[in-house]
């Protein structure tokens, strides 16, 4: 991955002028390259990582494993595409192991997740079974720690 993408991925709030200095290029070059990345779909978007617990959000994040019947000639792509179109689905991944797909549903109540699985996801043609896991506590997300480092206040003892 090139250095500009690396810098943007780690801190998308860096200004074009800061990026230009860090990369040793002109600000116009940075703007042009970012626009190219956005236009070609290399950069899909920018997002803040929010600590929902500190923000006192009364919502949950669910990881839902899905076993499906793939279609001949299309594999898992058709059913994954249909599931990705559901508004509640934040992310969807093809997985190895006991389940085929995994989707993430965030910022919903327990009840909303349960109703989504029961009434919208499970009834889809080709969905054979699901298992829902609720995220109870986030310790780290996308490289960002959610829990402060514990301060060692035991002091030094010498004998």
């Amino acid at each position: 991955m090139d250095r500009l993408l690396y810098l943007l991925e780690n801190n998308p709030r860096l200004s074009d002028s800061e990026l230009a200095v860090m990369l040793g290029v002109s600000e116009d070059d940075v703007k042009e390259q970012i626009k190219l990345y956005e236009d070609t779909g290399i950069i899909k978007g920018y997002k803040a990582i929010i600590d929902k617990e500190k923000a006192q959000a009364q919502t949950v994040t669910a990881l839902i494993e899905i076993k499906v019947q793939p279609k001949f000639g299309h594999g898992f792509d058709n059913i994954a595409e249909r599931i990705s179109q559901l508004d509640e689905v934040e992310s969807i991944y093809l997985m190895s192991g006991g389940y085929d797909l995994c989707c993430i549903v965030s910022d919903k109540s327990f009840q909303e997740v349960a109703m989504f699985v029961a009434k919208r996801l499970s009834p889809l043609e080709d969905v054979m079974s699901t298992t829902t896991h609720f995220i109870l506590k986030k310790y780290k997300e996308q490289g960002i720690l959610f829990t402060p480092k514990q301060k060692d206040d035991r002091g030094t003892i010498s004998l």
Side-chain angles (χ1 to χ4, degrees):
M1 177 170 29
D2 83 22
R3 185 140 164 77
L4 176 58
L5 289 174
Y6 174 82
L7 292 170
L8 286 170
E9 185 174 45
N10 287 292
N11 186 357
R13 293 188 65 184
L14 290 169
S15 70
D16 292 344
S17 60
E18 290 171 319
L19 290 165
V21 169
M22 295 169 88
L23 296 169
V25 298
S26 74
E27 192 173 335
D28 287 339
D29 288 342
V30 168
K31 286 179 185 179
E32 184 179 312
Q33 190 63 47
I34 290 173
K35 181 167 179 7
L36 177 66
Y37 287 149
E38 291 170 346
D39 291 347
T40 58
I42 292 172
I43 294 178
K44 297 292 186 187
Y46 303 90
K47 187 174 182 180
I49 299 169
I50 309 296
D51 187 333
K52 304 291 174 126
E53 189 176 320
K54 283 187 178 178
Q56 299 178 343
Q58 301 298 312
T59 60
V60 296
T61 298
L63 184 149
I64 305 166
E65 295 175 309
I66 310 161
K67 192 173 288 191
V68 300
Q69 181 65 51
K71 293 282 191 205
F72 181 76
H74 298 282
F76 298 99
D77 294 344
N78 274 357
I79 186 66
E81 176 66 28
R82 280 188 287 153
I83 293 170
S84 72
Q85 297 301 313
L86 300 172
D87 291 337
E88 295 87 348
V89 174
E90 178 180 303
S91 303
I92 185 164
Y93 309 98
L94 179 62
M95 306 290 292
S96 64
Y99 286 84
D100 304 307
L101 300 171
C102 172
C103 73
I104 307 292
V105 174
S106 299
D107 296 329
K108 303 290 180 205
S109 68
F110 281 105
Q111 183 70 16
E112 287 172 317
V113 172
M115 290 299 99
F116 164 71
V117 172
K119 294 187 176 193
R120 299 199 60 198
L121 182 61
S122 292
L124 286 175
E125 182 183 349
D126 303 323
V127 170
M128 297 168 52
S129 66
T130 65
T131 299
T132 302
H133 306 274
F134 288 98
I135 306 299
L136 301 177
K137 182 174 183 174
K138 290 183 182 178
Y139 294 97
K140 187 175 185 178
E141 184 175 335
Q142 295 184 29
I144 307 295
L145 290 172
F146 277 62
T147 55
K149 286 188 176 184
Q150 297 294 327
K151 191 181 343 180
D152 186 356
D153 59 356
R154 294 179 290 177
T156 305
I157 298 175
S158 61
L159 300 172

